[in-house]
Each structure stands twice: as structure tokens, then as C-alpha cells.
Amino acid sequence: MSSENLPQTPEQQGSKPRVAVVFGGRSSEHAISVVTAGAVLRSIDRSKYEVLPIGITTDGRWALTADEPARMAIADRRLPSVEELAESEDGAVVLSVDPASRQVVYTEPGAVPKALGEVDVVFPVLHGPYGEDGTLQGLLELSGIPYVGSGVLASAVGQDKDYMKRVFTSFGLNVGPYVTIRPREWEADRDAATARILDFADEHGWPLFVKPARAGSSIGITKVDDASGLEAAVREARRHDPKIIVEALLRGREIECGVLEFEDGPRASVPAEIPPVSSHDFYDFEAKYIDSASGIVPAPITPEQTAEVQRLAVEAFEAASCEGLVRADFFLTEDGEFVINEINTMPGFTPISMYPLMWEKSGIAYPELVDRLIQAALRRSTGLR
């Protein structure tokens, strides 16, 4: 990458706040993060903010990328990647860990490092481990750079379905039956771990859902109808995370609700319903992103149920000490009770994702939503708060 093609610093371009959109990453949700970044880049008000796209490759290299949202979409069922967007095969972006400086530096082998100026705020649109789970948030805290979304603790809790459910239970929120199989437990005595799952099935019935404990976008999840499918399901979940969680089937309707941080505190959007997808066993990755299955917004539930799920969504946001945004997912059971399934501290932000659609129906269009998240991050300091 020649020096004349490097992004200009804010001093060269003006004094508008500079937003680094960080995306991609090392998790199995890499492609969806790229799609999310394309939507965010397309919607950021360029008259108000300078933008610096930074992609993280699947092997963890931070790369300068083209600011070309059109290349970040899913096309003909083909998923995009940072490797395709990187301006150089070996150039790297480095953030300063000196909180007195928010400097970004670009390096290439055999070349003098180039200062790209300071970043005022980071918009991390990473999903899954190594980005949504508190790791990137910790780096940004060390660097003293404000960022969109939850801090280290809430991000870690929101990524780990086991501890998330423990936190919710401690705050009095209803969660469904589940059992966690930790890595050492499986590796030390696979038969005993399998027996625990079978005992769980005896108590709660089949089918079960076997999931990676710390993944999202419905990746690695298998619906298991009987014991014969259990080994393959565990193997698939452990391919994404050595820690797995097994959940019982909850019969009812899937209801989602967005939470957004306003100046006076968090507020909930109108809820959405995810109807059964006839071509899929459940709302999996293919249904969400490849086949573009969509929800019903607003959800066709009573005003009393709407108020209740909005209240519970904000309670979940507060219970996990979240900031910025959250999508809270619930089951509305056959007896009319809301059971929280999980939260996402950086929910899907693609044009077809439920979080922006719920806020659009609540009166906040996508560009305004992006702007509110950036402004909320700029209002917050890093460090203890």
C-alpha cells in the first residue's frame, strides 16, 4: 500500500470525530461481522464523522480495508471476508496502549511505520469470541479509547451462555432448563459427561439443543431428537467452543426486544416475533442470513405482554451491566410466561437483522440508530464507571 493511499488524519481532513469501525475477527461469525460493518459504514453520516475501516483477518491481523460497503454484502450465497477487503496482504494496523494517546499506526515489512492520527471512538461490530466477549473491550480500555457497546464484564457475560443464565437467575429472571459441559469434564470422562446429558434428557425430554457456550448467530447449534444424534451434536458444538451448553425445548413463541441507551437511561423497542421457519428445524444461521427468514415487527402480542417483555428486556440489560445496546431474546411459553433465552451485546446489525428493524418500527431509522450509538460512546469515559 503506497503512502499516498493511506487514510488522511483528522488534522488533514478536518476536526470531525474520527470513528474506527472494527470488524471481521477470528470467530466463526467473521463473515456476518463483515456484513454488519458494510451496513454501518453505509449509514454513518460522513458530514459529521471521519471514518477509518479496520478489518481483523481470520488469523488475527488488523488490516486497513477498503471503505467499500458494497463489497461487504452476501452475494449469491457467498460470504465476504476481511482478507478480500484488505489493502495489503501483510500491512498491519496497531493501536497505542498509552491512554494519553489514541494514535493509530500502520506498519508494513521493510517500511517506516506511518502514523494515521488519533481515533476518537471505536465502533466494534465483531461477533463472537475475540471481539464481542470483552477481549477487544479490554484492549480499548487499556488504550483509553471510547467504544460503542458494553464494557468488559457485560461483554463477557453476554457471550457466555452459562454465566449469562447464572446472572439472570440471581436477578430473578426466568431461564429455561439447561446443563453445561465444561472442557475438562468432557476431556476427563466423556462417558460421564454424556450420562449427565442423558439424565437431563430423561428429566426434561427430547428434543434437546446442543450449543457452543460462547458463540452466536446460531452457529454450531444442533437440534437433537434422540440419543443417537448426541455424539455428533456435541462434536459440532465443540468444533466452535470446547465448552458446551445443552438446553431443553421450550414450547412457545420466540419474542425479541431491542434495548438502546438514551441520555436518561436504557429504553426498549417494540418487540418482534420470530415465527417458525418451515424449511429449517429452527432459526439457524442459514435461515437468518442465507435464506433471509424474517420476523414479524411489531410482534402480534397483547399490549400487556408488550409492556412486560419491554420491562424484562431492560431488566436483563441492567442485570448484566450492559451499555449502548442489547437484543434480548425470550420465549413466550404456552402458559403466558416470558422466559429469557439470551442477550446479545452486539446483535446482528445487517439490513435484515432484527435489532435495527425493531428500532425502525419504534421510530428510529438505521442512520439515526448508528449516530445514537456513537454519541453514547463519546459521552462515556473509559475505565471504572
Side-chain angles (χ1 to χ4, degrees):
M1 182 186 219
S2 62
S3 60
E4 62 266 23
N5 291 329
L6 289 170
Q8 292 182 313
T9 67
E11 291 76 17
Q12 293 170 312
Q13 294 182 315
S15 58
K16 292 178 285 190
R18 198 177 203 201
V19 182
V21 178
V22 180
F23 62 96
R26 295 162 57 189
S27 83
S28 52
E29 297 176 79
H30 177 98
I32 296 308
S33 175
V34 177
V35 176
T36 296
V40 170
L41 287 170
R42 192 178 294 112
S43 300
I44 290 181
D45 184 349
R46 303 306 177 99
S47 69
K48 192 172 181 179
Y49 304 106
E50 304 294 347
V51 178
L52 179 66
I54 299 175
I56 302 178
T57 63
T58 52
D59 61 2
R61 177 173 63 93
W62 290 45
L64 280 178
T65 64
D67 186 3
E68 299 177 19
R71 294 174 58 194
M72 300 180 182
I74 297 173
D76 298 323
R77 303 178 73 89
R78 184 172 177 274
L79 300 174
S81 71
V82 169
E83 282 79 358
E84 297 170 344
L85 298 162
E87 297 282 13
S88 165
E89 292 184 358
D90 46 19
V93 174
V94 180
L95 292 183
S96 170
V97 292
D98 178 2
S101 169
R102 298 174 178 176
Q103 194 71 231
V104 177
V105 175
Y106 179 76
T107 66
E108 280 190 294
V112 176
K114 166 89 173 171
L116 299 183
E118 294 192 344
V119 165
D120 296 292
V121 63
V122 169
F123 200 134
V125 292
L126 294 130
H127 304 304
Y130 311 108
E132 190 183 352
D133 60 348
T135 49
L136 177 63
Q137 290 75 14
L139 172 63
L140 296 173
E141 292 286 351
L142 289 173
S143 301
I145 303 175
Y147 52 92
V148 169
S150 291
V152 175
L153 174 65
S155 297
V157 168
Q159 188 64 45
D160 190 314
K161 294 177 176 64
D162 175 25
Y163 283 98
M164 181 197 307
K165 292 175 187 293
R166 293 171 186 265
V167 168
F168 289 156
T169 300
S170 73
F171 276 82
L173 292 163
N174 291 326
V175 303
Y178 72 98
V179 62
T180 303
I181 305 295
R182 299 171 185 275
R184 272 183 284 192
E185 181 181 1
W186 182 260
E187 291 153 11
D189 193 336
R190 186 171 302 187
D191 291 339
T194 301
R196 281 190 65 210
I197 300 174
L198 293 174
D199 288 344
F200 179 78
D202 287 342
E203 181 180 358
H204 298 287
W206 300 91
L208 301 177
F209 290 88
V210 180
K211 304 179 177 183
R214 295 164 291 193
S217 296
S218 299
I219 290 174
I221 299 177
T222 305
K223 181 184 177 184
V224 183
D225 293 314
D226 54 50
S228 65
L230 189 56
E231 182 179 349
V234 171
R235 186 165 58 248
E236 170 62 15
R238 281 178 52 82
R239 194 165 67 86
H240 300 277
D241 185 351
K243 179 181 179 181
I244 68 168
I245 189 167
V246 181
E247 297 175 347
L249 173 68
L250 286 177
R251 300 190 183 279
R253 300 160 66 183
E254 293 187 47
I255 306 294
E256 298 183 349
C257 193
V259 181
L260 179 64
E261 181 182 350
F262 287 74
E263 290 84 353
D264 59 350
R267 300 182 201 170
S269 70
V270 300
E273 179 172 5
I274 309 300
V277 183
S278 58
S279 58
H280 297 263
D281 276 346
F282 60 97
Y283 195 48
D284 61 5
F285 179 87
E286 290 271 329
K288 286 180 181 178
Y289 297 110
I290 303 300
D291 295 331
S292 301
S294 59
I296 304 169
V297 191
I301 56 179
T302 68
E304 294 76 16
Q305 290 171 327
T306 294
E308 176 67 0
V309 77
Q310 289 174 325
R311 181 185 69 81
L312 291 171
V314 171
E315 280 194 17
F317 183 97
E318 298 282 33
S321 298
C322 296
E323 295 168 292
L325 72 164
V326 148
R327 194 193 73 231
D329 301 346
F330 297 86
F331 291 103
L332 177 55
T333 64
E334 293 173 341
D335 61 3
E337 181 182 39
F338 282 105
V339 177
I340 189 164
N341 183 35
E342 64 180 25
I343 59 170
N344 281 267
T345 56
M346 183 50 68
F349 230 83
T350 72
I352 62 170
S353 295
M354 296 312 301
Y355 184 85
L357 289 176
M358 288 187 287
W359 278 107
E360 182 180 5
K361 293 295 185 180
S362 303
I364 298 179
Y366 196 109
E368 182 185 351
L369 184 60
V370 169
D371 184 68
R372 282 183 174 276
L373 289 168
I374 294 171
Q375 289 298 316
L378 287 168
R379 288 195 300 269
R380 289 196 304 266
S381 62
T382 54
L384 299 177
R385 53 188 185 273

